[in-house]
């Protein structure tokens, strides 16, 4: 199942995110995910594994598992590359690292610009979160550079943004020529972002949810909010619903999004979970269950740039 984008192309509702996918096993992980049935891969310059992810994709194509046009590949412009002069060079680097001719979706990763550091000096994967120096490139300038690439019609099939709140998105829409095709945001029952979701849908922008399992991914990063909040995967309500449908709690959390046409991109290295996370379109939660889950809202954000590098970068 897929969602139609305002660019005219379609984006699968279920995909695989490659944040923290190990470089040593990245190619194999992606190859196996394609074998399991994944067609959408959510990558980013910042994840430092573009080369390996590209290797997995290209091997699957070479082996005849899929054709390039069967896949939907997303990648994201990192914060150091917001300068309009750098945006296309940055995309070119992504494409050459991944050995791809085009991306299906090119996202601005964060509404944050950092001072440019030449690729040869330091490149994502080598940054860590230290040494961030803020820059002041207006978001619309970066967006206009993305629009130009999109309009040329060769290197990207759609453009979008990630981690924008309502105000920033509204401001971008006032000035943009091309409406973003997708907004990618943190979205789970502890952070439902209802007003933003409604606004974005009304504007014909598709949504991709990340961190669908809440804090799960952030526990290993020592994130205090993640360590101190009860896991959604073990939550009493989610467990009760899962039992009713003979599904896992992970599948309920993914269905909670996909049933509202919000795409999901969970990550797993485990073969069973990989399969399980794809099987989330064959049951429907009831209205009552949606209302019960709505009560879990805590406005609890796990991925917040204010936690980076002690710089007090606060954008939300
Ligand atoms: P996630 O919600 O997918 O959680 C991943 C964690 O859940 C891992 O620890 C994994 O082992 C575990 N898991 C996976 N499937 C499971 C299952 N069926 N049962 C139990 N546990 C399971 O969260 P995430 O890694 O935060 O996000 C997924 C993807 O979203 C990333 O890989 C990345 O592509 C994207 N992302 C984007 C941004 C952004 O700023 N745009 C930020 C974070 C993540």
């Amino acid at each position: 199942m897929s969602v139609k984008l305002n660019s005219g192309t379609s984006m699968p509702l279920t995909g695989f995110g490659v944040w923290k996918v190990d470089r040593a096993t990245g190619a194999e992980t992606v190859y196996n995910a394609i074998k399991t049935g994944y067609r959408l891969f959510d990558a980013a310059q910042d994840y430092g594994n573009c080369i390996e992810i590209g290797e997995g994709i290209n091997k699957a194509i070479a082996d005849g598992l899929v054709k390039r046009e069967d896949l939907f590949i997303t990648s994201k412009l990192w914060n150091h590359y917001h300068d309009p002069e750098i945006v296309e060079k940055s995309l070119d680097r992504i494409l050459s690292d991944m050995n791809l001719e085009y991306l299906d979706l090119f996202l601005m990763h964060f509404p944050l610009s950092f001072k440019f550091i030449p690729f040869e000096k330091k490149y994502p994967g080598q940054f860590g979160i230290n040494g961030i120096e803020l820059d002041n490139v207006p978001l619309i300038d970066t967006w206009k550079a993305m629009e130009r690439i999109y309009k040329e019609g060769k290197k990207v099939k759609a453009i979008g943004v990630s981690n924008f709140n309502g105000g920033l998105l509204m401001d971008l829409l006032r000035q943009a020529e091309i409406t973003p095709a997708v907004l990618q945001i943190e979205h789970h029952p502890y952070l439902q972002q209802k007003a933003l979701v409604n606004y974005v849908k009304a504007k014909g922008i598709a949504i991709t949810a990340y961190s669908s399992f809440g804090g799960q991914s952030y526990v290993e990063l020592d994130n205090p909010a993640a360590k101190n909040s009860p896991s959604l995967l073990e939550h009493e309500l989610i467990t009760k619903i899962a039992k009713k449908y003979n599904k896992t709690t992970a599948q309920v959390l993914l269905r909670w999004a996909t049933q509202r046409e919000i795409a999901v991109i969970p990550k797993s290295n485990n073969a069973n979970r990989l399969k399980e996370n794809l099987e989330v379109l064959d049951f429907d939660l009831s209205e009552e269950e949606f209302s019960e889950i709505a009560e879990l809202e805590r406005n609890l954000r796990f991925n917040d740039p204010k936690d980076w590098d002690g710089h007090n970068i606060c954008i939300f």
Side-chain angles (χ1 to χ4, degrees), residues 176-249:
E177 190 185 325
I178 292 159
T179 299
V182 173
L183 170 70
Q184 186 176 122
I185 46 168
E186 181 174 338
H187 180 65
H188 45 74
Y190 288 155
L191 183 72
Q192 304 188 13
Q193 311 215 54
K194 271 195 201 149
L196 179 60
V197 167
N198 290 339
Y199 172 71
V200 168
K201 284 194 166 182
K203 293 288 174 192
I205 301 170
I207 302 174
T208 301
Y210 71 75
S211 302
S212 297
F213 308 140
Q216 186 68 18
S217 209
Y218 302 88
V219 173
E220 67 191 50
L221 301 179
D222 250 1
N223 178 311
K227 285 199 301 190
N228 297 327
S229 56
S231 165
L232 277 171
L233 288 165
E234 287 160 20
H235 195 283
E236 202 184 339
L237 172 64
I238 308 296
T239 306
K240 182 190 87 176
I241 298 172
K243 280 201 179 123
K244 176 176 156 191
Y245 294 105
N246 202 16
K247 289 280 179 183
T248 66
T249 51

Coordinates of all heavy atoms in Angstrom, one line a residue, residues 176-249:
A176 N 7.3 29.4 -0.5 CA 7.8 28.4 -1.4 C 7.0 28.4 -2.7 O 5.9 28.8 -2.7 CB 7.6 27.0 -0.7
E177 N 7.7 28.0 -3.8 CA 7.0 27.9 -5.0 C 6.4 26.4 -5.1 O 5.3 26.2 -5.6 CB 8.0 28.1 -6.2 CG 7.4 28.1 -7.5 CD 8.5 28.2 -8.6 OE1 9.5 28.8 -8.3 OE2 8.3 27.6 -9.7
I178 N 7.2 25.5 -4.5 CA 6.8 24.1 -4.5 C 6.5 23.7 -3.1 O 7.3 23.8 -2.2 CB 7.9 23.2 -5.2 CG1 7.9 23.6 -6.7 CG2 7.6 21.7 -5.0 CD1 9.2 23.2 -7.3
T179 N 5.3 23.1 -2.9 CA 4.9 22.6 -1.6 C 5.7 21.4 -1.3 O 5.7 20.5 -2.2 CB 3.4 22.3 -1.6 OG1 2.7 23.6 -1.8 CG2 2.9 21.8 -0.2
P180 N 6.2 21.2 -0.1 CA 6.9 19.9 0.2 C 6.0 18.8 0.0 O 4.8 18.9 0.2 CB 7.2 20.1 1.7 CG 7.3 21.6 2.0 CD 6.3 22.2 1.0
A181 N 6.5 17.7 -0.5 CA 5.7 16.5 -0.8 C 5.5 15.7 0.5 O 4.4 15.1 0.7 CB 6.4 15.6 -1.8
V182 N 6.5 15.8 1.4 CA 6.4 15.0 2.7 C 7.0 15.8 3.8 O 7.9 16.6 3.7 CB 7.3 13.7 2.5 CG1 7.4 13.0 3.8 CG2 6.8 12.8 1.4
L183 N 6.4 15.6 5.0 CA 6.9 16.1 6.2 C 7.3 14.9 7.1 O 6.4 14.0 7.3 CB 6.0 17.0 7.0 CG 6.4 17.3 8.4 CD1 7.6 18.3 8.5 CD2 5.2 17.9 9.3
Q184 N 8.5 14.7 7.5 CA 8.9 13.6 8.3 C 9.0 14.1 9.8 O 9.8 15.0 10.0 CB 10.2 12.9 7.8 CG 10.5 11.7 8.6 CD 11.7 10.9 8.1 OE1 12.6 10.7 8.9 NE2 11.7 10.5 6.9
I185 N 8.3 13.5 10.7 CA 8.3 13.9 12.1 C 8.4 12.8 13.1 O 7.9 11.6 12.7 CB 7.1 14.8 12.4 CG1 5.8 14.1 11.9 CG2 7.2 16.2 11.9 CD1 4.5 14.7 12.4
E186 N 8.8 13.1 14.3 CA 8.7 12.1 15.4 C 7.2 12.0 15.7 O 6.5 13.1 15.9 CB 9.5 12.6 16.6 CG 9.4 11.6 17.8 CD 10.2 12.0 19.0 OE1 11.2 12.8 18.8 OE2 9.9 11.6 20.1
H187 N 6.6 10.8 15.7 CA 5.2 10.7 15.9 C 4.9 9.3 16.5 O 5.2 8.3 15.9 CB 4.5 10.8 14.5 CG 3.0 10.6 14.5 ND1 2.2 11.5 15.2 CD2 2.2 9.7 14.0 CE1 0.9 11.2 15.0 NE2 0.9 10.0 14.3
H188 N 4.4 9.3 17.7 CA 4.0 8.1 18.4 C 3.0 8.5 19.5 O 2.7 9.7 19.7 CB 5.3 7.4 19.1 CG 6.2 8.4 19.8 ND1 5.9 9.0 21.0 CD2 7.4 9.0 19.4 CE1 6.8 9.8 21.3 NE2 7.8 9.8 20.4
P189 N 2.4 7.5 20.2 CA 1.3 7.9 21.1 C 1.7 8.9 22.2 O 0.9 9.7 22.7 CB 0.9 6.6 21.7 CG 1.1 5.6 20.6 CD 2.4 6.1 20.0
Y190 N 3.0 9.0 22.6 CA 3.5 10.0 23.6 C 3.7 11.3 22.9 O 3.9 12.3 23.6 CB 4.8 9.5 24.2 CG 4.6 8.4 25.2 CD1 5.7 7.5 25.4 CD2 3.5 8.1 25.9 CE1 5.7 6.5 26.3 CE2 3.4 7.0 26.8 CZ 4.5 6.2 27.0 OH 4.4 5.2 27.9
L191 N 3.8 11.4 21.6 CA 4.0 12.7 20.9 C 3.1 12.6 19.6 O 3.6 12.3 18.5 CB 5.5 12.9 20.6 CG 5.8 14.3 19.9 CD1 5.7 15.4 20.9 CD2 7.2 14.3 19.3
Q192 N 1.9 13.0 19.7 CA 0.9 12.8 18.6 C 0.9 13.9 17.6 O 0.5 13.8 16.5 CB -0.4 12.5 19.2 CG -0.4 11.3 20.1 CD -1.7 10.8 20.6 OE1 -2.8 11.1 20.0 NE2 -1.7 9.9 21.6
Q193 N 1.3 15.1 18.1 CA 1.4 16.3 17.2 C 0.1 16.5 16.4 O 0.1 16.7 15.1 CB 2.6 16.2 16.3 CG 3.9 15.8 17.0 CD 5.1 16.5 16.4 OE1 5.1 17.7 16.2 NE2 6.1 15.7 16.1
K194 N -1.1 16.4 17.0 CA -2.3 16.4 16.3 C -2.6 17.6 15.4 O -3.0 17.5 14.3 CB -3.5 16.3 17.3 CG -3.8 14.9 17.7 CD -5.1 14.8 18.4 CE -5.2 13.5 19.1 NZ -5.9 13.6 20.4
A195 N -2.3 18.8 16.0 CA -2.6 20.0 15.2 C -1.7 20.1 14.0 O -2.2 20.4 12.9 CB -2.4 21.3 16.1
L196 N -0.5 19.7 14.1 CA 0.5 19.7 13.0 C 0.0 18.7 11.9 O 0.0 19.0 10.8 CB 1.9 19.4 13.5 CG 3.0 19.3 12.5 CD1 3.2 20.6 11.7 CD2 4.4 18.9 13.1
V197 N -0.3 17.5 12.4 CA -0.8 16.4 11.5 C -2.0 16.9 10.7 O -2.1 16.8 9.5 CB -1.1 15.1 12.2 CG1 -1.9 14.1 11.4 CG2 0.2 14.5 12.8
N198 N -3.0 17.5 11.4 CA -4.2 18.0 10.7 C -3.8 19.1 9.7 O -4.3 19.1 8.5 CB -5.2 18.6 11.7 CG -5.8 17.5 12.5 OD1 -5.8 16.3 12.1 ND2 -6.3 17.8 13.7
Y199 N -2.9 20.0 10.1 CA -2.6 21.1 9.2 C -1.9 20.6 7.9 O -2.2 21.0 6.8 CB -1.6 22.1 10.0 CG -1.0 23.2 9.1 CD1 -1.8 24.2 8.6 CD2 0.3 23.1 8.8 CE1 -1.2 25.2 7.8 CE2 0.9 24.1 8.0 CZ 0.1 25.2 7.5 OH 0.7 26.1 6.7
V200 N -0.9 19.7 8.1 CA -0.1 19.2 7.0 C -1.0 18.4 6.1 O -0.9 18.5 4.8 CB 1.0 18.3 7.6 CG1 1.7 17.4 6.6 CG2 2.0 19.1 8.4
K201 N -1.9 17.6 6.6 CA -2.8 16.8 5.7 C -3.7 17.8 4.9 O -3.9 17.6 3.7 CB -3.7 15.9 6.6 CG -2.9 14.7 7.1 CD -3.9 13.6 7.6 CE -3.1 12.3 7.7 NZ -4.0 11.2 8.2
A202 N -4.2 18.8 5.6 CA -5.0 19.8 4.9 C -4.3 20.5 3.7 O -4.9 20.9 2.7 CB -5.6 20.9 5.8
K203 N -3.0 20.5 3.8 CA -2.2 21.2 2.8 C -1.7 20.2 1.7 O -1.0 20.5 0.8 CB -0.9 21.8 3.4 CG -1.2 23.0 4.3 CD -1.6 24.2 3.4 CE -2.1 25.3 4.3 NZ -2.7 26.4 3.5
G204 N -2.2 18.9 1.8 CA -1.9 17.9 0.8 C -0.4 17.4 0.9 O 0.1 16.9 -0.1
I205 N 0.1 17.5 2.1 CA 1.5 17.0 2.3 C 1.4 15.7 3.0 O 0.7 15.5 4.0 CB 2.3 18.0 3.2 CG1 2.3 19.4 2.5 CG2 3.7 17.6 3.5 CD1 2.9 20.6 3.4
A206 N 2.2 14.7 2.5 CA 2.1 13.4 3.2 C 3.0 13.4 4.4 O 4.0 14.2 4.5 CB 2.6 12.3 2.2
I207 N 2.7 12.5 5.3 CA 3.5 12.5 6.6 C 4.2 11.1 6.7 O 3.6 10.1 6.4 CB 2.6 12.7 7.8 CG1 1.9 14.0 7.7 CG2 3.4 12.6 9.1 CD1 0.9 14.2 8.8
T208 N 5.5 11.2 7.1 CA 6.2 10.0 7.5 C 6.5 10.1 9.0 O 7.0 11.1 9.4 CB 7.5 9.8 6.8 OG1 7.3 9.7 5.4 CG2 8.2 8.5 7.2
A209 N 6.2 9.1 9.7 CA 6.4 9.1 11.2 C 7.7 8.4 11.4 O 8.0 7.3 10.9 CB 5.3 8.3 11.9
Y210 N 8.6 9.0 12.3 CA 9.7 8.2 12.8 C 9.6 8.0 14.3 O 8.8 8.6 14.9 CB 11.0 8.8 12.4 CG 11.4 10.1 13.1 CD1 11.9 10.1 14.4 CD2 11.4 11.4 12.4 CE1 12.3 11.3 15.0 CE2 11.8 12.5 13.0 CZ 12.3 12.5 14.3 OH 12.7 13.7 14.9
S211 N 10.4 7.0 14.8 CA 10.4 6.6 16.2 C 8.9 6.2 16.6 O 8.4 6.6 17.6 CB 10.9 7.7 17.1 OG 12.2 8.0 16.7
S212 N 8.4 5.4 15.8 CA 7.0 4.9 16.0 C 6.8 4.2 17.3 O 5.7 4.0 17.9 CB 6.5 4.0 14.9 OG 6.5 4.7 13.7
F213 N 8.0 3.6 17.8 CA 7.9 2.9 19.1 C 8.3 3.8 20.3 O 8.6 3.3 21.4 CB 8.8 1.7 19.1 CG 8.6 0.8 17.9 CD1 9.7 0.2 17.2 CD2 7.3 0.5 17.4 CE1 9.4 -0.6 16.1 CE2 7.1 -0.3 16.3 CZ 8.2 -0.9 15.7
G214 N 8.2 5.1 20.1 CA 8.5 6.0 21.2 C 10.0 6.0 21.5 O 10.9 6.1 20.6
G215 N 10.3 5.9 22.8 CA 11.7 6.0 23.2 C 12.6 4.9 22.9 O 13.8 5.0 23.2
Q216 N 12.1 3.8 22.4 CA 12.9 2.5 22.2 C 14.3 2.8 21.6 O 15.3 2.3 22.2 CB 12.1 1.6 21.2 CG 12.7 0.3 21.0 CD 12.6 -0.6 22.3 OE1 11.8 -0.3 23.2 NE2 13.4 -1.6 22.4
S217 N 14.3 3.6 20.6 CA 15.6 3.8 19.9 C 16.6 4.7 20.7 O 17.8 4.7 20.4 CB 15.3 4.5 18.6 OG 16.1 4.2 17.6
Y218 N 16.1 5.4 21.7 CA 16.9 6.4 22.4 C 17.4 5.9 23.7 O 18.3 6.6 24.3 CB 16.0 7.7 22.6 CG 15.6 8.2 21.3 CD1 14.4 7.8 20.7 CD2 16.3 9.1 20.5 CE1 13.9 8.3 19.5 CE2 15.9 9.6 19.3 CZ 14.7 9.2 18.8 OH 14.3 9.6 17.5
V219 N 16.9 4.7 24.2 CA 17.4 4.2 25.4 C 18.9 3.9 25.3 O 19.7 4.3 26.2 CB 16.6 2.9 25.8 CG1 17.2 2.2 27.0 CG2 15.2 3.2 26.0
E220 N 19.3 3.3 24.2 CA 20.7 3.0 24.0 C 21.6 4.3 23.9 O 22.8 4.2 24.0 CB 20.9 2.1 22.8 CG 20.6 2.7 21.5 CD 20.5 1.6 20.4 OE1 19.9 0.6 20.5 OE2 21.2 1.9 19.3
L221 N 20.9 5.4 23.6 CA 21.7 6.7 23.5 C 21.7 7.4 24.9 O 22.1 8.6 25.0 CB 21.0 7.6 22.5 CG 20.9 7.1 21.1 CD1 20.3 8.1 20.1 CD2 22.3 6.7 20.5
D222 N 21.2 6.7 25.9 CA 21.2 7.3 27.3 C 20.3 8.5 27.4 O 20.6 9.4 28.2 CB 22.7 7.7 27.7 CG 23.2 6.7 28.7 OD1 22.5 5.8 29.1 OD2 24.3 7.0 29.2
N223 N 19.3 8.5 26.6 CA 18.4 9.7 26.6 C 17.5 9.6 27.9 O 16.8 8.6 28.1 CB 17.5 9.6 25.4 CG 16.5 10.7 25.3 OD1 15.8 10.9 26.2 ND2 16.4 11.3 24.1
P224 N 17.6 10.6 28.8 CA 16.9 10.4 30.1 C 15.4 10.3 29.9 O 14.8 9.4 30.6 CB 17.2 11.7 30.8 CG 18.3 12.4 30.1 CD 18.4 11.8 28.7
A225 N 14.8 11.0 29.0 CA 13.3 10.9 28.8 C 13.0 9.5 28.4 O 12.0 8.9 28.8 CB 12.9 11.9 27.8
A226 N 13.8 8.9 27.5 CA 13.5 7.5 27.1 C 13.7 6.5 28.2 O 12.9 5.6 28.3 CB 14.4 7.2 25.9
K227 N 14.7 6.7 29.0 CA 15.0 5.8 30.1 C 14.0 5.9 31.2 O 13.7 4.9 31.8 CB 16.4 6.0 30.7 CG 17.5 5.5 29.7 CD 18.8 5.3 30.4 CE 19.3 6.6 31.0 NZ 20.7 6.5 31.5
N228 N 13.4 7.0 31.4 CA 12.5 7.2 32.5 C 11.0 7.1 32.1 O 10.1 7.4 33.0 CB 12.7 8.6 33.1 CG 14.1 8.7 33.7 OD1 14.6 7.6 34.2 ND2 14.8 9.8 33.6
S229 N 10.7 6.8 30.9 CA 9.2 6.7 30.5 C 8.9 5.2 30.2 O 9.7 4.5 29.6 CB 8.9 7.6 29.4 OG 9.7 7.3 28.3
P230 N 7.7 4.8 30.6 CA 7.4 3.4 30.3 C 7.4 3.1 28.8 O 6.9 3.9 28.0 CB 6.0 3.2 30.9 CG 5.5 4.6 31.4 CD 6.6 5.6 31.2
S231 N 7.9 1.9 28.5 CA 8.0 1.6 27.1 C 6.6 1.4 26.4 O 5.8 0.8 27.0 CB 8.8 0.3 26.9 OG 8.6 -0.2 25.6
L232 N 6.5 2.0 25.3 CA 5.2 1.9 24.6 C 5.0 0.4 24.1 O 3.9 -0.1 24.0 CB 5.1 2.8 23.3 CG 4.7 4.2 23.6 CD1 4.9 5.1 22.3 CD2 3.3 4.3 24.0
L233 N 6.1 -0.3 23.9 CA 6.0 -1.7 23.4 C 5.5 -2.6 24.5 O 5.1 -3.7 24.2 CB 7.4 -2.1 22.9 CG 7.9 -1.5 21.6 CD1 9.4 -1.8 21.4 CD2 7.1 -2.1 20.4
E234 N 5.6 -2.1 25.8 CA 5.1 -2.9 26.9 C 3.9 -2.3 27.6 O 3.4 -2.7 28.6 CB 6.2 -3.1 27.9 CG 7.2 -4.1 27.4 CD 8.5 -3.9 28.1 OE1 8.5 -3.4 29.3 OE2 9.6 -4.3 27.6
H235 N 3.3 -1.2 27.0 CA 2.2 -0.5 27.6 C 1.0 -1.3 27.7 O 0.6 -2.1 26.8 CB 2.0 0.8 26.8 CG 1.1 1.8 27.5 ND1 -0.2 1.6 27.7 CD2 1.5 2.9 28.2 CE1 -0.7 2.6 28.4 NE2 0.3 3.4 28.7
E236 N 0.3 -1.2 28.8 CA -0.9 -2.0 29.1 C -1.9 -1.9 28.0 O -2.5 -2.9 27.5 CB -1.4 -1.5 30.5 CG -2.3 -2.5 31.2 CD -2.9 -1.9 32.4 OE1 -2.3 -0.9 33.0 OE2 -3.9 -2.4 32.9
L237 N -2.2 -0.7 27.6 CA -3.3 -0.5 26.6 C -2.9 -1.0 25.3 O -3.7 -1.7 24.6 CB -3.6 1.1 26.5 CG -4.5 1.4 25.3 CD1 -5.9 0.8 25.5 CD2 -4.6 2.9 25.1
I238 N -1.7 -0.8 24.9 CA -1.2 -1.3 23.6 C -1.2 -2.8 23.6 O -1.5 -3.5 22.6 CB 0.2 -0.7 23.2 CG1 0.2 0.8 23.3 CG2 0.6 -1.2 21.8 CD1 -0.7 1.6 22.4
T239 N -0.8 -3.4 24.7 CA -0.8 -4.8 24.9 C -2.2 -5.4 24.8 O -2.4 -6.4 24.1 CB -0.1 -5.2 26.2 OG1 1.1 -4.6 26.3 CG2 0.1 -6.7 26.4
K240 N -3.1 -4.7 25.4 CA -4.5 -5.2 25.4 C -5.0 -5.2 23.9 O -5.6 -6.2 23.4 CB -5.4 -4.3 26.2 CG -6.9 -4.7 26.3 CD -7.7 -3.6 26.9 CE -8.2 -2.6 25.9 NZ -9.1 -1.6 26.4
I241 N -4.7 -4.2 23.2 CA -5.2 -4.1 21.8 C -4.5 -5.1 20.9 O -5.1 -5.8 20.1 CB -4.9 -2.7 21.2 CG1 -5.7 -1.6 22.0 CG2 -5.3 -2.6 19.7 CD1 -5.4 -0.1 21.7
A242 N -3.2 -5.3 21.2 CA -2.4 -6.3 20.4 C -3.0 -7.7 20.6 O -3.2 -8.5 19.6 CB -1.0 -6.3 20.8
K243 N -3.4 -8.0 21.8 CA -3.9 -9.4 22.1 C -5.2 -9.6 21.3 O -5.5 -10.6 20.7 CB -4.2 -9.5 23.6 CG -2.9 -9.9 24.4 CD -3.2 -10.5 25.7 CE -1.9 -10.8 26.4 NZ -1.8 -10.2 27.7
K244 N -6.1 -8.5 21.3 CA -7.4 -8.6 20.6 C -7.2 -9.0 19.2 O -7.9 -9.8 18.6 CB -8.1 -7.3 20.8 CG -9.4 -7.2 20.0 CD -10.1 -5.9 20.2 CE -11.1 -5.7 19.1 NZ -11.6 -4.3 19.1
Y245 N -6.2 -8.4 18.5 CA -6.0 -8.7 17.1 C -5.0 -9.7 16.8 O -4.7 -10.0 15.6 CB -5.6 -7.3 16.4 CG -6.7 -6.3 16.4 CD1 -6.6 -5.2 17.3 CD2 -7.8 -6.4 15.6 CE1 -7.6 -4.2 17.3 CE2 -8.8 -5.4 15.7 CZ -8.7 -4.4 16.5 OH -9.7 -3.4 16.6
N246 N -4.5 -10.4 17.8 CA -3.4 -11.4 17.7 C -2.2 -10.8 16.9 O -1.7 -11.4 16.0 CB -4.0 -12.6 16.9 CG -3.2 -13.8 17.2 OD1 -2.4 -13.9 18.1 ND2 -3.4 -14.8 16.3
K247 N -1.9 -9.6 17.3 CA -0.7 -8.9 16.7 C 0.3 -8.6 17.8 O 0.0 -8.8 19.0 CB -1.2 -7.6 16.0 CG -2.0 -7.8 14.8 CD -1.1 -8.1 13.6 CE -1.8 -8.4 12.3 NZ -0.9 -8.8 11.2
T248 N 1.4 -8.1 17.5 CA 2.4 -7.6 18.5 C 2.1 -6.1 18.8 O 1.4 -5.4 18.0 CB 3.8 -7.8 18.1 OG1 4.0 -6.9 17.0 CG2 4.1 -9.2 17.6
T249 N 2.7 -5.7 19.9 CA 2.5 -4.3 20.3 C 3.1 -3.4 19.2 O 2.6 -2.3 18.9 CB 3.1 -4.0 21.7 OG1 4.4 -4.5 21.7 CG2 2.3 -4.6 22.8

